[in-house]
């Protein structure tokens, strides 16, 4: 009977490991394909039979090309790829950092207000904000485009930042509200007894204890903004405001696709969010589990 139970347990673990391996391969295969393509020559990428496992003559020429020379292939026109990658990287950094910073500050203030303050209409306002979380983005695209057009914010970094702040703020407010609620009220009561006013209480007690939640909100907002493609595609027109996610599409031409250059640009685009998730995963997991999961 014991051997039978051990056999069933081994079978269950084997099935679990196999399923995990399938999911892992399914998730990593596209990334591996992009990485291999970025160090391959165009001849190998178009070779038959297809050679994709690893190039016979790996090269970093594509990475040099996208930052020093090359072409923009869309519509048959040509322009320096170095300019495209430089402006795209700059725009992505500005939009992501600014949006994440504004969302974090606003969500922290709103989270404290909903968690620790009493005011008229508090529950109704919080409910209306929460109703915006499951709202799909495409429902409001027409209204947003009309509004941004009237405000003359189409194809501007400020317009993109405002849109991302509006879209990310409801979820962030919910995260920070639940996080602040989990901070023991006894600590704040003790600070009040010692004579601390509300601003001193927020600055000295709430913000230090809510730092993991703030870091989590900042990282989630920044990664969501960096990886977004639909919003920049609709609300940008020129290189002045297009982020890297849009620049990647410019390697698709009328008669050819620069797969090796596009793959190199995709690797460059993936590196910042990958490194952030790698080095800050401790803060991200801690912030989410201590706040939103409870």
């Amino acid at each position: 009977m014991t051997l039978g139970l051990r056999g069933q347990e081994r079978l269950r673990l084997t099935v679990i490991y196999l399923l995990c391996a399938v999911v892992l391969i399914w998730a990593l295969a596209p990334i591996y394909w992009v990485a291999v393509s970025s160090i391959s020559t165009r001849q190998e990428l178009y070779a038959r039979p297809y050679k994709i496992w690893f190039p016979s003559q790996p090269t970093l020429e594509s990475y040099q090309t996208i930052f020093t020379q090359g072409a923009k292939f869309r519509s048959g026109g040509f322009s320096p790829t170095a300019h495209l990658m430089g402006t795209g990287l700059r725009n992505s950094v500005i939009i992501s950092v600014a949006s994440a910073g504004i969302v974090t500050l606003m969500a922290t203030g709103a989270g404290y207000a909903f968690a620790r303050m009493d005011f008229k209409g508090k529950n109704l306002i919080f409910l209306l904000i929460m109703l915006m979380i499951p709202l799909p983005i495409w429902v409001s695209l027409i209204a947003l485009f009309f509004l941004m057009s009237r405000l003359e914010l189409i194809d501007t970094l400020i317009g993109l930042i405002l849109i991302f702040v509006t879209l990310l703020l409801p979820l962030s407010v919910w995260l920070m509200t639940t996080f602040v609620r989990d901070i023991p009220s006894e600590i704040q009561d003790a600070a009040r007894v010692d004579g601390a006013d509300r601003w001193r209480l927020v600055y000295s007690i709430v913000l230090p204890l809510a730092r993991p939640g703030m870091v989590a909100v900042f990282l989630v907002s920044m990664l969501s903004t960096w990886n977004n493609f639909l919003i920049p595609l609709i609300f940008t027109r020129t290189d002045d405001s297009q982020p890297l996610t849009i620049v990647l599409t410019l390697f698709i031409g009328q008669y050819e696709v620069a797969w090796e250059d596009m793959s190199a640009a995709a690797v460059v685009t993936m590196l910042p969010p990958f490194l952030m998730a790698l080095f800050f995963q401790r803060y991200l997991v801690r912030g989410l589990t201590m706040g939103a999961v409870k």
Side-chain angles (χ1 to χ4, degrees), residues 144-208:
L144 275 175
F145 191 87
F146 176 77
L147 177 62
M148 301 304 285
S149 298
R150 294 296 296 269
L151 296 175
E152 298 183 354
L153 292 176
I154 297 293
D155 197 33
T156 63
L157 297 179
I158 296 178
L160 289 177
I161 292 172
L162 290 176
I163 294 175
F164 282 121
V165 169
T166 303
L167 295 177
L168 296 171
L169 196 56
L171 178 61
S172 301
V173 169
W174 174 64
L175 289 173
M176 289 308 303
T177 301
T178 55
F179 195 93
V180 174
R181 282 175 181 169
D182 291 332
I183 298 176
S185 59
E186 292 80 5
I187 301 178
Q188 302 181 55
D189 295 338
R192 290 192 184 97
V193 172
D194 292 337
D197 57 10
R198 185 176 297 277
W199 292 109
R200 184 67 178 177
L201 185 67
V202 172
Y203 181 77
S204 301
I205 304 298
V206 176
L207 289 182

Side-chain angles (χ1 to χ4, degrees), residues 24-26 28-41 44-58:
L24 188 63
I25 294 174
W26 179 267
L28 294 181
I31 300 177
Y32 177 79
W33 181 85
V34 170
V36 169
S37 299
S38 67
I39 59 176
S40 302
T41 61
E44 286 190 310
L45 290 176
Y46 283 94
R48 293 293 183 273
Y50 196 47
K51 301 177 181 179
I52 191 57
W53 298 111
F54 198 80
S56 59
Q57 297 179 346

Side-chain angles (χ1 to χ4, degrees), residues 225-236:
T225 305
W226 184 280
N227 296 327
N228 195 280
F229 175 76
L230 179 62
I231 297 300
L233 179 66
I234 296 175
F235 292 92
T236 61

Side-chain angles (χ1 to χ4, degrees), residues 17-97:
Y17 289 147
L18 287 176
L19 291 177
C20 291
V22 171
V23 173
L24 188 63
I25 294 174
W26 179 267
L28 294 181
I31 300 177
Y32 177 79
W33 181 85
V34 170
V36 169
S37 299
S38 67
I39 59 176
S40 302
T41 61
R42 183 169 299 189
Q43 289 75 16
E44 286 190 310
L45 290 176
Y46 283 94
R48 293 293 183 273
Y50 196 47
K51 301 177 181 179
I52 191 57
W53 298 111
F54 198 80
S56 59
Q57 297 179 346
T59 176
L60 298 177
E61 182 180 356
S62 297
Y63 291 94
Q64 180 181 0
T65 299
I66 62 175
F67 284 106
T68 58
Q69 53 185 344
K72 180 175 73 172
F73 292 89
R74 174 170 289 181
S75 302
F78 293 91
S79 63
T81 304
H83 170 72
L84 291 175
M85 291 297 297
T87 55
L89 181 60
R90 181 203 64 188
N91 294 336
S92 293
V93 171
I94 293 175
I95 296 170
S96 301
V97 174

